[in-house]
Amino acid sequence: MMRNQKFMPAIKHLLVISIAINAGLVLKLLHDNNGHEWATNGMNEVRVAKDVFHGVQNLSRATDQYINLDHGDPTMYEVYWKQMGDRTTLVLSGWQSISYFSDTKNHCWFLEPSFANAVTRLHNLVGNAQTRSYHIVVGTGSTQLFQAALYALCPSNAPEPMSIVSAAPFYSSYPLIIDCLKSGLYKWKGDASKFNKGEPYIELVTSPNNPDGSIRQAVVNGSGGILVHDLAYYWPQYTPISFQADHDIMLFTVSKSTGHAGIRIGWALVKDKEVAKKMTKFIEISSIGVSKDSQLRAAKILDVIADTYEHTEKFDKVKPFFHYGNNEMARRWRQLRSAVNKGQTFSLPDFPVEKCNFSGQRFGTQPAFAWLKCEKAVNDCESFLRKHNILTRSGTQFGSSKRYVRISLISHKEEYDEFIQRLSLLSSMDTP
């Protein structure tokens, strides 16, 4: 979201005035001296002064509004779904979704069969996760499923709360969610790479990782550990699908796979039936199930995505969904790297190139977030960018340094392009 700012920092005005005065002096010297050599050199100096002056003017105009890239709001996908027209339209009659129950024969009794079928179909198409012999648990986003997994995995009669860890930089909401209710079942213990206690623990493995986009594996080698894999971004628009995941508990969400964050639907693939039952019990207690309407709409969307690949004749003028997403993420990362490479103020991580088993293409991970580092004299990257009205999330919230920030790359095109323009100016000035 963007809003007007009434005043710009005084230092920016002083810089403009200083440049204008110096440019004026150069012009005066050029006018007063008839020497050809001085005229040539003088004109070069004038050009430099004008370039810097216009750069500062452009930066001043660009920073009149806030750009909020703190949240991962996936509005990037709005353009794609608009062009799909009524293909994803779903009409529900007033008599539908009356009952609490969806499928009483299923351990997850509020799971809509059509949603379960759509999830299985999409995973089988993409090849990013094994579904055979897995139990599907639906939740209100992956956040509720994450809490349900902790509830299911932590023994209620343990003498001490179970330790929860994740390798830094870790997802910033993990400690907030875990510490929110001050549960006696579990406690946040921070960076997994620093955890070496001989006690039971749960390690959260996010891959690709939020915030830095790295492909992750478990870090702790303890014998009493349990792993929960958050695979929200393991989709072919963000990273090559190089293997079919088959972990004990895998969490996914509609918000990052299709861009429909407002539906608030996620799902877990769980090997152990008893764990799936306990996760279901948590959701039953906390929200008495999950919205049927949201599940039905999500099922429709997932099926349409699969249709763009399996029934291409119906979508001759529309690019298949994951190909569209991959191209758009590639474009945004090209823009971002180009902006950063204009100077030495910022840096970005590099990602290895791999073949994607789904698309057959070779490319490097192009995450939904950029893990940007401020170099040189900038010690607090979030504060530095905030001065130029770019709102980001500090690395300190991810268990890392304040030299880093997480930047969302999946906002509206207009907002993202303005951010790129502003970052390019900051980078090219190279004097924070």
Side-chain angles (χ1 to χ4, degrees), residues 150-276:
L150 296 185
Y151 172 83
L153 296 172
C154 296
S156 59
N157 58 351
E160 294 290 334
M162 179 84 82
S163 295
I164 313 297
V165 297
S166 185
F170 43 72
Y171 178 39
S172 59
S173 291
Y174 283 156
L176 299 177
I177 295 169
I178 292 167
D179 290 338
C180 178
L181 298 179
K182 308 297 181 184
S183 172
L185 295 178
Y186 47 79
K187 58 184 176 182
W188 174 248
K189 297 293 285 187
D191 189 355
S193 62
K194 298 178 180 179
F195 183 81
N196 55 9
K197 296 183 178 181
E199 60 185 44
Y201 67 91
I202 295 174
E203 182 177 354
L204 309 173
V205 182
T206 306
S207 186
N209 189 42
N210 175 0
D212 66 354
S214 61
I215 303 302
R216 289 285 187 86
Q217 294 182 354
V219 171
V220 184
N221 293 320
S223 59
I226 303 173
L227 303 180
V228 175
H229 285 79
D230 185 344
L231 304 182
Y233 301 95
Y234 191 46
W235 294 98
Q237 68 266 53
Y238 305 119
T239 191
I241 304 302
S242 57
F243 67 97
Q244 192 173 48
D246 60 351
H247 308 295
D248 290 343
I249 300 177
M250 300 180 286
L251 307 181
F252 296 90
T253 174
V254 167
S255 64
K256 298 307 185 291
S257 56
T258 75
H260 292 83
I263 292 181
R264 305 309 308 131
I265 288 291
W267 67 93
L269 299 178
V270 186
K271 274 186 180 180
D272 190 291
K273 185 177 182 179
E274 295 306 312
V275 172

Side-chain angles (χ1 to χ4, degrees), residues 66-87:
Y66 278 110
I67 301 176
N68 192 341
L69 302 176
D70 174 82
H71 303 293
D73 196 18
T75 51
M76 175 189 86
Y77 293 101
E78 189 176 284
V79 172
Y80 181 85
W81 291 113
K82 280 185 175 179
Q83 71 176 347
M84 294 298 284
D86 61 357
R87 289 185 176 94

Side-chain angles (χ1 to χ4, degrees), residues 41 45 88 266 291-292 325 327 332 362 412 421 432:
N41 293 335
E45 294 296 326
T88 56
S291 168
K292 288 186 177 184
N327 290 343
R332 294 187 178 211
R362 291 182 59 83
H412 282 117
Q421 180 184 9

